[in-house]
Amino acid sequence: MPRFGRARHESVGEVPARDGGGAGCAATSRAAGTSPFAGASRALGTTPAAVPRDVGAVREGSEDGTALRVVNATVRFGEGRLALDAVDLAVSAHEVVCVLGPSGSGKSTLLRAVAGLQPLDAGSVWLGGEDQRDVPVHRRGVGLMFQDHQLFPQRDVAGNVAFGLRMRRVPASVRKARVAELLALVGLAEAGRRGVGSLSGGEQQRVALARALAPRPSLLMLDEPFGQLDRALRERLVQELRELFTALGTTVLAVTHDQGEAFALADRVVIMRDGAVTQSGAPLDVWRRPADSFVARFLGFGNLVPASVTGQVAETPWGRLSLAEGVVAPPGQHTVLVRPGGVRLVAEADGLPCEVVARTFHGTHVALRLRPRDAPEIEATCALHEAPARGDHVGVAFDAQDVVVLG
């Protein structure tokens, strides 16, 4: 996936570190069971370091409350290939928006365009109601947090957090206070003098976050921020960042390919394909009603079949499926999605006869692949203690509330 590039924060002799150190978190991270960001709400009640206005988030939003507006953004690469195809996007002040999509969908190009790192061939970017045409990167008031952290190995933790403030000539006393405030906020209050090479991956993540927040950006942009962390740490940090952003009221535009991260972190998700937005909405709404087959498959749903819909009934290769009460779909040919949780196992004589051809253990449940006679395979989930063995024959019934007619 394309990266943002390094020019934004490198000077002569400054090369960001790529590899994390092996030291653990005991000396600087939170007490067991307590989020390192637990003090965020309390910190809001303190008097923040007085960062000058040209460094901070001086543009919280336009008059209508919009922090970011992208209008008809178009980018072409090589031989006219569209990386962004007339994209429109609005992000409200204090909203957390995650952009999802497969590799090559344009999501990272969109972030680069907002940051000013990728020129637009057409369209415009507005921050706080101000057109950013011809505004250089360092004047846009946005913060960037990278997948590989890009910390400076020759600087200690405090020096990394203070870097952006120093480049903006913030007075030393103000820098010191702001760095102390942020390190306390991210659970690294005693780590200021430590070298970044001694930090764990999670600690480096927090240092990178503190550095991005130091100048009080009007918009914080995250580019695959958890990609290099192990799954357990990733899941914990997603929850912690969600709590922090909520407490601080930070406006966030994030890019990720991980649906779980996006749905846990965001107020709204935006799904892209081939340089265009295919669906935007609250995570639960998108999950419940994918816009089309592409979105459904991208979200991990595999139970998709053609159907002829009439009234509250869909005729499919799996038989006649009932639609939930209140669901209205125009009559005719559609694609129908059945969520795995809506596939119930019953006695073979009481449902669609299927053979269990695969089962995968997922800790709290088992994922099953079921093969009916002369019809597409079906994905289902069930509790571990109820899971049939591979080769068993079962019946399948479908719950109407998990049958979705796609547009």
Side-chain angles (χ1 to χ4, degrees):
M1 178 173 296
R3 308 301 307 155
F4 276 102
R6 280 72 176 168
R8 179 178 184 269
H9 65 194
E10 287 182 358
S11 60
V12 176
E14 308 261 16
V15 180
R18 293 189 177 279
D19 297 322
C25 305
T28 53
S29 72
R30 64 192 185 285
T34 304
S35 166
F37 305 139
S41 299
R42 294 192 298 276
L44 291 175
T46 66
T47 302
V51 178
R53 285 181 61 84
D54 65 340
V55 176
V58 299
R59 303 183 304 265
E60 282 225 349
S62 59
E63 292 183 1
D64 64 357
T66 302
L68 165 68
R69 188 178 300 279
V70 178
V71 181
N72 196 40
T74 303
V75 172
R76 293 181 178 87
F77 289 154
E79 298 183 353
R81 182 178 69 84
L82 281 171
L84 291 181
D85 187 3
V87 170
D88 292 327
L89 176 68
V91 178
S92 299
H94 317 303
E95 185 180 22
V96 178
V97 173
C98 284
V99 182
L100 280 161
S103 180
S105 62
K107 56 188 187 296
S108 287
T109 303
L110 176 61
L111 255 66
R112 289 172 58 83
V114 172
L117 295 168
Q118 173 61 56
L120 293 175
D121 292 301
S124 57
V125 171
W126 297 72
L127 289 167
E130 299 177 8
D131 190 349
Q132 299 302 292
R133 193 184 312 275
D134 300 325
V135 177
V137 177
H138 67 283
R139 292 289 184 188
R140 294 200 175 196
V142 300
L144 299 175
M145 183 173 166
F146 302 89
Q147 176 179 348
D148 53 3
H149 315 315
Q150 296 193 10
L151 301 178
F152 299 122
Q154 69 274 35
R155 295 182 178 274
D156 60 17
V157 167
N160 271 274
V161 176
F163 182 77
L165 301 175
R166 184 171 63 83
M167 294 298 290
R168 290 165 175 79
R169 296 181 173 82
V170 174
S173 60
V174 177
R175 282 202 314 265
K176 183 176 180 180
R178 178 64 172 159
V179 169
E181 176 189 8
L182 284 165
L183 289 180
L185 193 66
V186 299
L188 296 172
E190 305 301 320
R193 305 299 296 174
R194 287 179 63 182
V196 295
S198 72
L199 303 178
S200 69
E203 289 172 322
Q204 288 195 10
Q205 188 84 3
R206 295 184 181 111
V207 174
L209 175 63
R211 182 178 64 182
L213 290 171
R216 305 184 192 279
S218 60
L219 176 68
L220 179 62
M221 302 172 68
L222 311 178
D223 181 29
E224 300 279 5
F226 311 107
Q228 294 192 347
L229 303 179
D230 65 74
R231 180 174 180 177
L233 179 58
R234 208 164 55 227
E235 290 176 352
R236 189 173 77 234
L237 283 177
V238 167
Q239 182 59 40
E240 291 170 354
L241 284 183
R242 175 67 186 174
E243 294 170 3
L244 178 68
F245 295 152
T246 299
L248 296 179
T250 308
T251 306
V252 179
L253 180 64
V255 153
T256 179
H257 67 278
D258 188 294
Q259 301 93 320
E261 289 175 9
F263 278 67
L265 184 64
D267 299 311
R268 180 160 54 96
V269 294
V270 175
I271 298 178
M272 295 188 65
R273 178 188 188 188
D274 296 334
V277 173
T278 60
Q279 187 168 6
S280 175
L284 186 57
D285 292 339
V286 173
W287 186 261
R288 284 177 171 169
R289 295 200 62 81
D292 54 27
S293 298
F294 166 79
V295 174
R297 292 191 187 281
F298 180 74
L299 295 179
F301 295 121
N303 293 337
L304 297 162
V305 289
S308 177
V309 175
T310 304
Q312 297 302 114
V313 174
E315 295 285 353
T316 78
W318 298 326
R320 178 174 291 185
L321 307 186
S322 298
L323 305 181
E325 185 177 349
V327 172
V328 178
Q333 298 301 310
H334 295 271
T335 297
V336 163
L337 158 69
V338 182
R339 300 187 191 90
V343 178
R344 287 186 293 110
L345 302 186
V346 297
E348 187 174 8
D350 296 332
L352 175 67
C354 295
E355 178 187 357
V356 179
V357 294
R359 48 176 281 165
T360 306
F361 176 61
H362 286 283
T364 58
H365 68 279
V366 174
L368 302 173
R369 189 152 49 89
L370 310 173
R371 181 176 295 159
R373 210 173 285 114
D374 301 323
E377 292 184 350
I378 301 169
E379 296 176 356
T381 60
C382 66
L384 179 61
H385 67 278
E386 298 174 347
R390 182 175 179 179
D392 282 357
H393 289 267
V394 298
V396 164
F398 301 92
D399 291 334
Q401 67 265 25
D402 285 305
V403 177
V404 181
V405 180
L406 303 181

